């Protein structure tokens, strides 16, 4: 990767990052319609293609090196574009190296465990990229907006009393630090949608038959809690953007631009990890050549001549 290109990507995503320690007020600090001046929609497709190719190359190296894992946490309000983003941004990578897990209302078994348990089950192995479509952050978002969900979590009185959200932020930060210390990079993306654009997307889900399946009456119920969600997101971004796992707020009203931003943040993460194909030692190389000589004795005579004619 030429340094200049890596620097351009790093510069492009800087305005999206929540600096650790900063207090975020979503409505005031981040514009869902933001678009960088130097990016135009007509170039969007090509830029995304470049990002897709870059990711495919880095993912192959990540898998071959088998040292680092990458956990991508995608959060948004309903209709923020999580599914489409995953489909487009990851379209070029080898499906063997990427897993996507969606998190829904927790099951009885999941409620019988500590609050990070079900997320810990799905972490990436070394060499893998795992995408959480919704993540452990639901535990301080939907659960915060609807306190009756906390009541279902069978917590001891002390653990759900005053200070519960502060304790959860701390537990999440500690857990992510543990993961990054172990070589699992944690990438956190919040698709920041405006209330107006959410309305447009809900209406499209009702009007377009192919989109009907995506519409849920519950989404409309949740929309009534818009302000509560904005507060919960603001506080979560302020408390859990850390030097080891910072949040990126992705302007989500323009889908094409959101996808380019997500692709750039992922590319940046992988460039920083800089995974490399393992280098074969001289001794291993000598062994490979010995094996090759033995294999060639098995090949039909005509193929042997052909291979010898090919240089290298
Ligand atoms: P969807 O992603 O549209 O399929 O919806 C999944 C639903 O599961 C959403 O309504 C989320 O709010 C809900 N959900 C996800 N995680 C949790 C959680 N930890 N507790 C309660 N509800 C959750
Ligand atoms: Mg939904």
């Amino acid at each position: 990767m030429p340094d200049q290109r890596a620097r351009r990507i790093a510069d492009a995503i800087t305005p999206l990052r929540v600096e650790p320690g900063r207090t975020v007020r979503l409505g005031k600090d981040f514009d869902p319609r933001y678009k960088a001046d130097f990016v135009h929609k007509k170039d969007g497709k090509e830029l995304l293609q470049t990002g897709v190719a870059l990711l495919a190359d880095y993912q192959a190296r990540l898998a071959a090196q088998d040292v680092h894992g990458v956990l991508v946490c995608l959060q948004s309000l309903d209709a923020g574009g999580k599914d489409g983003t995953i489909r487009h941004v990851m379209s070029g990578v080898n499906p063997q190296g990427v897993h996507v897990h969606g998190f829904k209302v927790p099951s009885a078994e999941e409620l019988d465990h500590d609050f990070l348990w079900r997320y810990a089950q799905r972490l990436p192995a070394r060499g893998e990229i795992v995408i959480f479509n919704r993540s452990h952050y639901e535990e301080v978002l939907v659960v915060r907006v609807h306190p009756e969900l906390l009541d279902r979590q069978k917590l001891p009185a002390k653990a759900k009393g005053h200070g519960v959200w502060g304790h959860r932020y701390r537990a999440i930060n500690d857990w992510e630090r543990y993961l990054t210390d172990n070589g699992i990079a944690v990438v956190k993306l919040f698709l920041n949608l405006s209330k107006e654009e959410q309305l447009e997307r809900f209406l499209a889900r009702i009007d377009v038959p192919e989109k009907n399946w995506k519409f849920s009456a519950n989404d409309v119920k949740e929309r009534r809690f818009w302000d509560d969600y904005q507060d919960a997101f603001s506080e979560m971004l302020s408390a859990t953007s850390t030097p080891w796992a910072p949040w990126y707020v992705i302007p989500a009203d323009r889908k094409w631009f959101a996808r380019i931003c997500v692709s750039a943040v992922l590319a940046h993460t992988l460039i920083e990890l800089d995974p490399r194909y393992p280098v074969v030692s001289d001794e291993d190389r000598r062994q490979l050549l010995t094996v090759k000589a033995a294999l060639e004795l098995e090949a039909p005579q005509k193929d042997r001549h052909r291979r010898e004619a090919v240089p290298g």
Side-chain angles (χ1 to χ4, degrees):
M1 156 79 45
D3 281 355
Q4 210 187 355
R5 193 165 166 208
R7 208 167 325 118
R8 268 213 312 276
I9 294 174
D11 289 346
I13 64 169
T14 298
L16 312 178
R17 185 167 43 236
V18 177
E19 286 312 319
R22 171 173 171 197
T23 303
V24 175
R25 294 294 317 151
L26 256 190
K28 193 160 67 55
D29 296 342
F30 289 97
D31 177 7
R33 287 195 62 76
Y34 166 80
K35 179 186 81 60
D37 290 338
F38 55 87
V39 185
H40 302 285
K41 187 166 183 184
K42 66 175 170 47
D43 308 322
K45 227 183 191 148
E46 200 184 319
L47 263 171
L48 188 61
Q49 281 318 313
T50 311
V52 164
L54 202 80
L55 274 182
D57 173 42
Y58 271 95
Q59 187 271 328
R61 288 196 257 158
L62 187 86
Q65 191 188 37
D66 205 17
V67 170
H68 291 283
V70 177
L71 172 65
V72 182
C73 303
L74 253 189
Q75 286 294 153
S76 79
L77 280 143
D78 291 314
K82 298 190 297 295
D83 297 342
T85 299
I86 295 169
R87 202 168 58 242
H88 282 85
V89 175
M90 305 311 287
S91 60
V93 304
N94 179 348
Q96 283 213 87
V98 181
H99 303 283
V100 182
H101 299 295
F103 292 97
K104 315 257 177 202
V105 178
S107 67
E109 188 193 15
E110 288 167 345
L111 289 172
D112 239 357
H113 290 267
D114 61 276
F115 85 94
L116 289 174
W117 181 80
R118 69 170 180 162
Y119 310 97
Q121 312 286 306
R122 304 291 187 189
L123 289 171
R126 301 190 189 283
E128 283 180 355
I129 298 176
V130 164
I131 301 173
F132 280 0
N133 184 346
R134 300 184 189 269
S135 69
H136 48 296
Y137 283 97
E138 290 296 336
E139 303 292 337
V140 292
L141 293 167
V142 69
V143 182
R144 181 164 193 175
V145 171
H146 300 287
E148 65 275 17
L149 295 175
L150 191 66
D151 291 336
R152 292 183 56 211
Q153 293 197 349
K154 302 166 80 173
L155 292 160
K158 218 171 97 186
K160 64 180 170 191
H162 180 70
V164 55
W165 309 116
H167 290 152
R168 285 200 167 188
Y169 295 144
R170 192 188 64 200
I172 288 171
N173 288 342
D174 288 349
W175 188 55
E176 290 175 357
R177 180 155 206 167
Y178 161 81
L179 293 175
T180 52
D181 282 350
N182 274 272
I184 310 298
V186 182
V187 184
K188 304 189 297 201
L189 305 162
F190 168 52
L191 302 180
N192 185 27
L193 185 72
S194 71
K195 199 173 180 185
E196 297 73 34
E197 180 63 21
Q198 189 194 52
L199 179 67
E200 291 299 317
R201 292 187 190 176
F202 280 172
L203 291 174
R205 286 179 180 185
I206 294 169
D207 288 343
V208 182
E210 291 75 26
K211 291 188 176 179
N212 283 174
W213 67 275
K214 277 209 140 194
F215 184 77
S216 132
N218 191 53
D219 292 350
V220 175
K221 273 207 325 246
E222 286 304 278
R223 182 175 161 81
R224 296 199 200 117
F225 293 92
W226 182 272
D227 291 340
D228 294 338
Y229 272 109
Q230 294 290 301
D231 289 347
F233 271 111
S234 297
E235 213 171 296
M236 177 270 280
L237 292 167
S238 310
T240 61
S241 202
T242 54
W244 52 92
W247 272 104
Y248 289 88
V249 179
I250 309 293
D253 275 14
R254 294 176 169 94
K255 286 182 182 170
W256 68 270
F257 187 64
R259 287 166 191 165
I260 291 170
C261 292
V262 168
S263 166
V265 174
L266 288 180
H268 174 73
T269 306
L270 286 159
I271 291 167
E272 295 272 287
L273 290 178
D274 195 21
R276 308 213 170 176
Y277 288 109
V279 180
V280 177
S281 68
D282 288 349
E283 175 54 28
D284 287 347
R285 180 82 199 140
R286 264 195 298 281
Q287 274 186 17
L288 280 178
L289 292 175
T290 312
V291 173
K292 182 183 173 195
L295 284 173
E296 275 178 342
L297 289 176
E298 289 179 27
Q301 197 69 25
K302 60 179 178 20
D303 288 353
R304 221 181 296 167
H305 288 311
R306 202 169 57 213
R307 197 169 298 112
E308 277 158 12
V310 179

